[in-house]
């Protein structure tokens, strides 16, 4: 799980991370979207799906083999591959 933390955002005091990726978000915990990494077609598609900075997102569950992952954002549910979820940085509430 630690490999899913956003670089440079690990607290030194042992407290929970202040910034991580959607792929590392614990189930049921809401988080605020900080950024969608990249400027390619996938980043644009993620933002079209409602993953825009400031929105609240909640991770619900993973498929039996761990991929894809199910989230709710903007009042609906979406499924993302782990690699896609790793492109979105969030701050847990």
């Amino acid at each position: 799980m630690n490999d899913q933390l956003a670089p440079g955002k690990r607290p030194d005091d042992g407290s929970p991370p202040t910034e991580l990726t959607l792929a590392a978000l614990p189930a049921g915990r809401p988080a605020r979207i900080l950024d969608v990494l990249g400027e390619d077609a996938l980043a644009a598609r993620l933002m079209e799906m409602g993953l825009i900075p400031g929105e609240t997102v909640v991770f619900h569950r993973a498929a039996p083999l761990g991929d894809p992952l199910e989230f709710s954002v903007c009042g609906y549910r979406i499924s993302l591959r782990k690699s896609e979820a790793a492109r979105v940085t969030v701050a847990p509430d």
Side-chain angles (χ1 to χ4, degrees):
M1 182 168 153
N2 285 340
D3 59 333
Q4 298 294 324
L5 295 174
K9 299 298 180 185
R10 298 170 195 250
D12 294 333
D13 61 359
S15 61
T18 57
E19 184 176 315
L20 55 144
T21 69
L22 272 184
L25 188 65
R29 186 171 182 186
R32 184 174 39 89
I33 297 171
L34 298 175
D35 197 11
V36 177
L37 304 176
E39 295 181 10
D40 56 0
L42 176 58
R45 180 70 182 132
L46 292 171
M47 293 180 78
E48 288 171 354
M49 294 169 67
L51 298 169
I52 55 177
E55 283 293 331
T56 298
V57 63
V58 178
F59 169 57
H60 292 286
R61 62 184 172 196
L65 296 178
D67 200 10
L69 311 173
E70 183 181 62
F71 301 91
S72 63
V73 63
C74 298
Y76 60 92
R77 292 189 179 211
I78 60 173
S79 293
L80 300 174
R81 294 181 183 103
K82 277 188 177 180
S83 61
E84 296 167 338
R87 303 261 313 253
V88 181
T89 58
V90 297
D93 289 342

